């Protein structure tokens, strides 16, 4: 009886609820940390220079071949499964056999970049120190042996002496590639921007009836100056391209076939089997930095994702700048000025319901209203000289940010209203009693004390908007953007330009890539980076909120 009463009292005390809540929170934290750990291991491990394996692959009743590549994955599969796949597996033997996935590269020679092989049929496995990996700008990696290095078709080094010469020539080509990138993207881009500006200026003067001889002469002189600058850059480009393609190498694959590759197509060359732990660690961070700072290549399955990082952060910041004043003003009106009645309650219900509308609906609305209606009107009013080519009447950074702001504004309204409701009425009455107007009370007392709640709404808005993908596919995000929306050309921030986004990049690489196995680790790495970017934005907002909370804590007490 005593035990029964003590158990009943234990339940009445609420301790089971506390333990259940603590357990649920612990499980959620463990699952979140576990998920992030899996993503980090699978994504960040991609940048480690894996050893290369050379082996004889002897399929029963077939001629053996040489297999060279990276061992990516290994698993145990039933013998019957391999037999049903058409492999010549003997009937007798263990129930399970080993199946291994190798990245064999050499996509311009082999039919597939990845091959599944039976582990029991691999013999004579070794890791030769002179086996090399060539990262190329096209056709993926090449695995094989270095034969010689050539300059203008003439052999300058071969055998063991060719490797240091190759590294020197690759560094030279890398410097030339940087100079080519600067000339093509920045210098020529600036000239093309100026030429297009002149064309639009002439068209505008023509529409206004002010294209006289003096204006034409001025524009012709400026155009002639731009043409002269372009010819100088073009001559420099021709010389760089010739120097870029001067050197080449001869490589031999595992089967003994030799091919000649221009060093202009090689990003880097390394021998992973000959690298020590410290060297591999340095190579790892070099690859990781390339992933964060370089442009993508090979259908987004190689290179970096900096344009997607920049687009995500830029769009989220613009969204925050737009959504905060509108959300705060709406909340202030509903809480401080609007007459509390059926209409106000109906508006609050509508705001709460907006938070649950599917994101793709906002995308369709943004495409129809922002892009076609509002953007088309802006083009007709302010950019008639560019028509029929659209300026703002096409998806771009501004419309993507506005669509996200529309999606996130209910969160800001609700959070700000809750913050305003928590401010004691006595503070308002005391301010009014001292002679302050309602506007002064609102501006100097109420809003500063409600600022932590506003930041809470902004944090929630950023967390939701930064990870959205579906609406952005309709209003400005693309697979590959040729340039960043922020550059040195007036007006510097190009709100009409299309951008890349980490969320859409994950979708594109994971589901639209022609090389699924090569893209898989990049999906994990990009997903981890998206989580980190959102966390960094949120932590910045949290630090500001905590500062404001401490600042106005005394007034609250």
């Amino acid at each position: 009886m005593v035990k029964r009463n003590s158990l009943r009292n234990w339940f009445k005390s609420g301790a089971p609820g506390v333990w259940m809540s603590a357990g649920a929170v612990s499980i959620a934290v463990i699952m979140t940390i576990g998920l992030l750990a899996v993503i980090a291991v699978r994504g960040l491990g991609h940048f480690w220079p894996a050893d290369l394996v050379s082996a004889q692959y002897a399929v029963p009743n077939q001629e053996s071949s040489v297999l060279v590549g990276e061992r990516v994955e290994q698993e145990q599969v039933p013998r019957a499964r391999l037999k049903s796949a058409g492999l010549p597996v003997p009937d007798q033997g263990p129930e399970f056999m080993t199946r291994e996935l190798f990245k064999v590269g050499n996509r311009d020679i082999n039919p597939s970049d990845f091959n599944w092989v039976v582990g029991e049929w691999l013999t004579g496995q070794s890791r030769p120190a002179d086996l090399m990996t060539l990262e190329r700008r096209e056709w993926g990696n090449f695995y094989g042996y270095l034969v010689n290095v050539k300059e203008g078709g003439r052999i300058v080094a071969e055998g063991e002496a060719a490797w240091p010469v190759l590294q020197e020539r690759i560094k030279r080509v890398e410097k030339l590639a940087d100079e080519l990138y600067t000339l093509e993207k920045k210098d020529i881009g600036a000239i093309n921007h100026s030429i297009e500006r002149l064309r639009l200026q002439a068209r505008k003067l023509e529409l206004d009836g002010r294209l006289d001889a003096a204006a034409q002469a001025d524009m012709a002189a400026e155009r002639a100056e731009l043409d002269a600058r372009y010819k100088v850059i073009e001559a420099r480009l021709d010389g760089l391209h010739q120097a870029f393609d001067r050197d080449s190498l001869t490589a031999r694959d595992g089967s003994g076939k030799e091919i000649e590759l221009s060093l202009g197509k090689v990003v880097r060359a390394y021998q992973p089997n000959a690298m020590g732990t410290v060297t591999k660690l340095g190579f790892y961070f070099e690859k990781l930095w390339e992933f964060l700072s370089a442009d993508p290549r090979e259908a987004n399955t190689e290179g970096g994702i900096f344009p997607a990082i920049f687009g995500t952060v830029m769009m989220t910041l613009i969204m925050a700048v737009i959504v905060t004043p509108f959300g705060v003003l709406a909340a202030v009106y509903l809480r401080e000025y609007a007459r509390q009645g059926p209409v106000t309650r109906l508006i609050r219900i509508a705001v709460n319901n907006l938070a649950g509308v599917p994101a793709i609906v906002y995308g369709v609305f943004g495409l129809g209203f922002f892009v076609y209606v509002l953007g088309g009107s802006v083009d007709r009013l302010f950019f008639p000289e560019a028509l029929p080519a659209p300026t703002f009447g096409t998806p771009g950074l501004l419309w993507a940010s506005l669509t996200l702001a529309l999606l996130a504004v209910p969160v800001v309204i609700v959070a700000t209203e809750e913050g305003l409701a928590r401010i004691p009425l006595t503070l308002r009455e005391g301010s009014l009693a001292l002679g302050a107007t309602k506007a002064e009370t609102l501006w100097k007392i109420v809003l500063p004390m409600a600022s932590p709640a506003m930041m809470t709404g902004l944090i929630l808005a950023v967390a939701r908007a930064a990870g959205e993908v579906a609406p952005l596919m309709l209003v400005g995000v693309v697979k590959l953007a040729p340039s960043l929306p922020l550059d040195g050309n007036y007006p510097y921030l190009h709100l009409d330009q299309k951008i890349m986004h980490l969320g859409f990049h994950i979708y594109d690489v994971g589901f639209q890539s022609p090389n699924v196995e090569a893209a898989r680790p990049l999906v994990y790495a990009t997903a981890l980076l998206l989580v980190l970017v959102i966390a960094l934005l949120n932590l910045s907002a949290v630090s500001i909120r905590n500062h404001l909370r401490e600042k106005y804590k005394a007034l609250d007490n």
Side-chain angles (χ1 to χ4, degrees):
M1 186 68 179
V2 175
K3 289 183 178 180
R4 184 179 300 175
N5 290 334
S6 61
L7 185 62
R8 184 180 304 166
N9 293 333
W10 184 67
F11 273 103
K12 288 182 177 180
S13 67
V18 174
W19 280 100
M20 290 178 63
S21 300
V25 172
S26 301
I27 292 173
V29 171
I30 292 172
M31 291 176 65
T32 303
I33 295 175
L35 176 61
L36 291 177
V38 170
I39 294 175
V41 169
R42 290 182 176 269
L44 298 180
H46 168 70
F47 306 106
W48 186 261
D51 288 346
L52 297 179
V53 177
S54 177
Q56 290 286 334
Y57 187 52
V59 181
N61 303 323
Q62 296 182 16
E63 185 178 354
S64 64
S65 59
V66 179
L67 179 68
V68 174
E70 302 177 13
R71 181 180 279 108
V72 178
E73 189 177 341
Q74 185 174 344
E75 63 182 8
Q76 297 291 320
V77 296
R79 176 183 292 268
R81 179 179 170 186
L82 294 177
K83 192 173 182 64
S84 63
L87 296 177
V89 179
D91 295 330
Q92 303 298 325
E95 181 181 356
F96 289 90
M97 296 183 68
T98 304
R99 191 174 74 150
E100 301 183 17
L101 178 63
F102 274 82
K103 183 179 181 180
V104 296
N106 305 11
R107 200 184 307 155
D108 49 342
I109 301 174
N110 299 324
S112 177
D113 206 12
F114 289 80
N115 284 341
W116 284 100
V117 298
V118 179
E120 285 77 5
W121 297 346
L122 290 174
T123 59
Q125 298 189 40
S126 62
R127 290 177 170 81
D130 58 342
L131 198 55
M132 70 173 180
T133 299
L134 293 178
E135 289 187 19
R136 300 183 288 181
R137 303 182 192 277
E138 297 177 352
W139 299 105
N141 290 353
F142 178 90
Y143 302 124
Y145 302 89
L146 178 62
V147 178
N148 58 50
V149 178
K150 297 180 180 180
E151 179 182 328
R154 180 178 57 86
I155 297 177
V156 295
E158 56 185 343
E160 295 182 358
W163 185 253
V165 175
L166 175 63
Q167 295 300 320
E168 294 176 0
R169 301 297 173 104
I170 289 179
K171 289 180 180 179
R172 170 186 168 276
V173 169
E174 185 179 355
K175 292 180 180 178
L176 292 175
D178 292 339
E179 191 171 351
L180 280 171
Y181 179 86
T182 301
L183 288 175
E184 292 175 348
K185 292 289 186 179
K186 295 183 179 179
D187 296 350
I188 294 182
I191 292 176
N192 290 335
H193 178 79
S194 299
I195 292 175
E196 178 64 13
R197 178 181 55 80
L198 282 177
R199 186 189 70 83
L200 295 177
Q201 182 181 351
R203 176 60 178 164
K204 183 176 180 60
L205 292 175
E206 182 182 0
L207 291 175
D208 295 340
R210 296 186 290 113
L211 187 60
D212 53 16
Q216 292 181 8
D218 291 340
M219 286 186 288
E222 188 173 352
R223 190 177 293 108
E225 181 184 353
L226 293 172
D227 290 339
R229 286 171 51 191
Y230 179 79
K231 289 180 180 178
V232 173
I233 296 176
E234 188 179 27
R236 177 60 180 157
L237 281 176
D238 291 339
L240 286 175
H241 279 297
Q242 292 177 7
F244 193 68
D245 296 326
R246 185 194 71 182
D247 299 331
S248 62
L249 65 86
T250 304
R252 184 178 68 252
D253 67 356
S255 63
K257 182 178 179 180
E258 293 187 358
I259 64 170
E260 185 172 342
L261 299 172
S262 171
L263 289 190
K265 298 180 180 179
V266 177
V267 178
R268 64 170 56 87
Y270 58 97
Q271 295 174 327
N273 298 340
M275 297 167 67
T277 303
V278 176
T279 308
K280 285 189 174 182
L281 195 61
F283 180 90
Y284 174 81
F285 285 109
E286 179 185 344
K287 286 281 292 180
L288 191 59
W289 174 248
E290 180 192 39
F291 177 70
L292 296 175
S293 61
D295 291 344
R297 63 176 190 270
E298 288 280 331
N300 291 346
T301 60
E302 298 287 347
I305 57 170
F306 177 74
I309 299 173
F310 188 90
T312 303
V313 174
M314 178 64 68
M315 184 180 61
T316 304
L317 292 178
I318 294 175
M319 180 276 300
V321 170
I322 295 173
V323 75
T324 302
F326 280 97
V328 170
L329 288 175
V332 167
Y333 176 77
L334 290 175
R335 175 58 57 178
E336 302 292 331
Y337 290 100
R339 185 176 183 179
Q340 305 302 314
V343 176
T344 306
R345 288 196 295 271
L346 184 63
I347 293 175
R348 287 198 178 95
I349 294 173
V351 169
N352 292 328
N353 287 337
L354 279 176
V357 174
I360 189 64
V361 176
Y362 288 99
V364 174
F365 175 82
L367 180 65
F369 178 73
F370 290 141
V371 177
Y372 294 149
V373 176
L374 190 58
S377 301
V378 169
D379 284 353
R380 289 189 294 272
L381 290 174
F382 300 103
F383 303 98
E385 65 276 8
L387 295 175
T391 303
F392 281 94
T394 184
L397 173 60
L398 177 62
W399 306 136
S401 302
L402 279 174
T403 302
L404 286 185
L406 192 64
L407 181 145
V409 72
V411 179
V412 178
I413 293 175
V414 172
T416 304
E417 263 208 278
E418 291 178 355
L420 293 172
R422 286 198 299 267
I423 298 175
L425 184 60
T426 54
L427 288 176
R428 296 179 174 87
E429 293 174 346
S431 175
L432 294 173
L434 292 173
T437 64
K438 186 172 183 178
E440 291 173 336
T441 300
L442 180 66
W443 184 253
K444 295 184 178 180
I445 303 296
V446 177
L447 286 182
M449 294 187 64
S451 56
M454 300 177 196
M455 294 304 301
T456 300
L458 180 61
I459 292 168
L460 296 174
V462 168
R464 182 183 180 190
E468 288 291 349
V469 178
L472 302 180
M473 296 168 63
L474 301 175
V475 290
V477 172
V478 293
K479 173 186 176 73
L480 183 63
S483 58
L484 298 178
L486 185 66
D487 57 26
N489 300 320
Y490 182 83
Y492 311 117
L493 179 60
H494 305 280
L495 296 175
D496 59 317
Q497 190 168 307
K498 295 178 175 59
I499 59 170
M500 296 181 66
H501 187 272
L502 287 172
F504 182 73
H505 190 79
I506 293 171
Y507 164 76
D508 176 68
V509 174
F511 296 96
Q512 304 294 320
S513 173
N515 197 344
V516 178
E517 295 294 344
R520 184 181 301 170
L522 291 180
V523 171
Y524 288 111
T526 308
L528 177 64
L529 186 60
L530 177 59
V531 172
L532 293 178
V533 168
I534 296 175
L536 182 61
L537 292 171
N538 285 342
L539 287 175
S540 302
V542 167
S543 64
I544 297 174
R545 181 188 64 183
N546 293 340
H547 173 73
L548 294 172
R549 185 173 291 167
E550 291 295 327
K551 182 178 180 180
Y552 297 108
K553 182 182 292 185
L555 289 175
D556 197 13
N557 293 333

